[in-house]
Amino acid sequence: MHPALLGVITIVIGVSGCVGYFYGANLLLDKVIFPARGPNMGRNINRREMIRPWIFLFPAMLGLGLYLAYPVFATLRLSFLERGAGDVYTFVGFKNYVQMFAEDKFMEALRNNILWLVVVPAASTAFGLLTAQLTDRLRWGNFAKSVVFMPMAISFVGAAVIFKLIYEARPEDVAQIGVLNHLYLTFGGDAPQQWLTIPFWNNFFLMAVLIWIQTGFAMVILSAALRGIPEETIEAAVIDGANPFQIFFRIKVPQIMSTIVVVWTTITIATLKVFDIVFAMTNGQWETQVLANYMYTKMFVARDWGMGSASAMIIMLLVMPILVWNVYNARKEMR
Amino acid sequence: MDSLAGKKPAVVWALNISVLALVLLWLFPTMGLFVSSFRTSEQITSSGWWASLFPAEQTLQLRALDPDDFRIETSAGVFVVEGNINERDADPLEITTWGTSSRDPAAFVAGETSDLGDGETMTLSPDGTYIWQGNDDQMSGRGQRLFVVATVPPEFTTDNYKNILFSPTNSENMAKAFFNTLTVVIPSTIIPILIAAFAAYALAWMDFPGRALLVAAVVGLLVVPLQLALIPLLQLHNAIGIGKGYLGVWMAHTGFGLPLAIYLLRNYMVGLPRDIIENARVDGATEFQIFTKIILPLSFPALASFAIFQFLWTWNDLLVALVFLIDSSGNTTVMTKQIVELLGTRGGDWEVLATSAFISIAVPLAVFFMMQRYLVRGLLAGSVK
């Protein structure tokens, strides 16, 4: 069957299935199982209102449970197993982890990931805050914000192509078509550089892609937070003779600190999962490996599911503090 | 209060200029791709894309007319070929310097005469006319090569797009991948919205034991890396017979999109006025009626926000498609995957790469600029409280 036709059929089945389920289940509950009439009317109404939330929740809980909660435990289990001949799994304890930590490529991925986690959220948040502050009172500020926000819509793969063009190196005797080498030669560089193959520094050239994408996100949220600062606090500071830098760092930043933390942690999560950029630009060569790409290589190239799962668990472990912190905050807010 | 009021003009100028610099810095990368996609491969390799926006000096290699057909004997043993190099081109070239050897294409100023040895001469005028003179022996074979340094106006072409989107013979045709991506995206965007909207309503406005726990669970699942889900779900899909295919990728995207959908919609629904819902309950409306007649229409902004998020995310996704969709036949490849492949096989062919990448970027960019308001609103609802 043609996939587009299959798609249309899926939409129709999916949508009508969802609507049918919700409508039918509600109807069944109201008219058949606990009808609001007869001798048990009061009890019936109470009971059906107890059941109804679960009808509303069931498909979502099934989806969340099957596609997000169950895999966490399944991956944990897999990380302690080893696949032998004939798809027989045997329990090997921490062997996968031990083996992984002994691998240079894994340690390199871990080191790079930590480097990414330090640089990308800091740089994106700083650029975002700077842009938000600079464009705040500008007449064409909204246009400027749109432009900085735009990379959010661009895929990591698209961004990888865009930045590969920037980093392109051509032989010394012909025109440079990568802007970085063009500038490098204009400002006194001796020979065109293959930027993505220079160990250690190439990590930063990859990070630039994510910073370019994430700055817009930080800017949008911090800009809204800056707008929310009570004017009186700034007025008071102006009257007291504070200069613009003091107003910014002593008055504004402390008041939006909680938002800065939210932005920072959100970008941290995005950074931890970064896969496409490295996969498309270097595929982990020249010491640019990161955990997500290491995991992909282990799972789908080397077909070592034990070690792949073990490295996925390392990513999960790194996400854990933020997960706990988010849940803690959400609970606090619900009260 | 406007904190700019009463500031020195110099400060305002500095502010405007620094924002302009920032805007240009952020626009520059995408512009490079966009401009390159309208240039031929020779243009791309001969100069940086930023130079293509202005008239540029270029070295062109041309050839004088074939002497065997066009030479005229002016006097005994002296032959002349006259012509104009512009005859072949629609736009007349503005010639600055020229030469007869590739080593030194700028040897002569326009109007000068080059001595080719043994009395053979070539004269090229600024308007493109040339006079080539020599004896019988010299004036035979192929026409004399001319290297012209000329100022060429910016020139762009849509051939790359024709080639990549509409050429059926091209093996790198993106049309198929474009439709595959579309096939992945639309059901993956619509279905989670429906499922999540019901759940969000229950979590926002229905009272039942365990509600707070469920909300906390959703918040927790929001950050679970989908890397963990790959192997167990692939095993699951294989076990229940879906294998790799559209059905699997739709289900995976639905599952992965649910936490954000529920979270966004619940946050929005909680903020709806309590009176409306309670009045409706008092008037005897069932929960199902309240949901479909009141909550859904009122939640349109939040639904739109999530729809855009999910659209962008599924359109731009590579990992989920790689794991759950693309099999060894390659018939179901999506655009992101095809571009990654091109990066490997056609690494230096920027006209192919830039055009393919821009085709895949164009749709999300259009959605972004049309729906930016909802996107911003969704982001704010999703992270600031």
Side-chain angles (χ1 to χ4, degrees), chain B residues 24-64:
Chain B
L24 289 178
L25 187 68
W26 247 255
L27 206 54
F28 190 83
T30 321
M31 279 299 288
L33 192 77
F34 182 66
V35 172
S36 296
S37 72
F38 289 101
R39 302 178 80 203
T40 64
S41 78
E42 295 87 55
Q43 284 174 322
I44 290 175
T45 49
S46 67
S47 64
W49 67 267
W50 52 91
S52 73
L53 301 174
F54 310 101
E57 289 221 320
Q58 260 187 29
T59 304
L60 305 169
Q61 187 188 329
L62 302 160
R63 205 174 266 283

Side-chain angles (χ1 to χ4, degrees), chain B residues 347-367:
Chain B
D349 299 343
W350 283 103
E351 75 286 359
V352 178
L353 272 174
T355 314
S356 309
F358 202 80
I359 289 169
S360 90
I361 289 171
V363 175
L365 276 187
V367 170

Side-chain angles (χ1 to χ4, degrees), chain B residues 184-199:
Chain B
V184 170
V185 164
I186 294 174
S188 309
T189 307
I190 295 175
I191 294 173
I193 293 183
L194 260 170
I195 297 178
F198 279 95

Side-chain angles (χ1 to χ4, degrees), chain A residues 137-157:
Chain A
R137 311 276 176 179
L138 215 57
R139 204 172 304 149
W140 55 291
N142 279 339
F143 168 76
K145 279 188 212 165
S146 274
V147 170
V148 177
F149 192 31
M150 183 189 70
M152 274 291 280
I154 294 175
S155 60
F156 288 141
V157 174

Side-chain angles (χ1 to χ4, degrees), chain B residues 293-330:
Chain B
K293 300 258 166 67
I294 300 174
I295 301 287
L296 267 194
L298 284 179
S299 305
F300 177 76
L303 296 173
S305 298
F306 173 74
I308 297 164
F309 275 124
Q310 184 75 353
F311 174 84
L312 291 179
W313 151 244
T314 48
W315 186 281
N316 291 338
D317 161 75
L318 171 67
L319 185 57
V320 176
L322 274 180
V323 175
F324 293 107
L325 175 65
I326 300 164
D327 51 23
S328 50
S329 76

Side-chain angles (χ1 to χ4, degrees), chain A residues 10 22 67 75 140 146 177 221, chain B residues 16 44 228 237 250 372 383:
Chain A
T10 307
F22 287 114
Y67 277 84
T75 304
W140 55 291
S146 274
I177 62 170
I221 290 175
Chain B
N16 275 297
I44 290 175
L228 274 90
H237 282 182
W250 289 325
Q372 200 180 358
S383 35

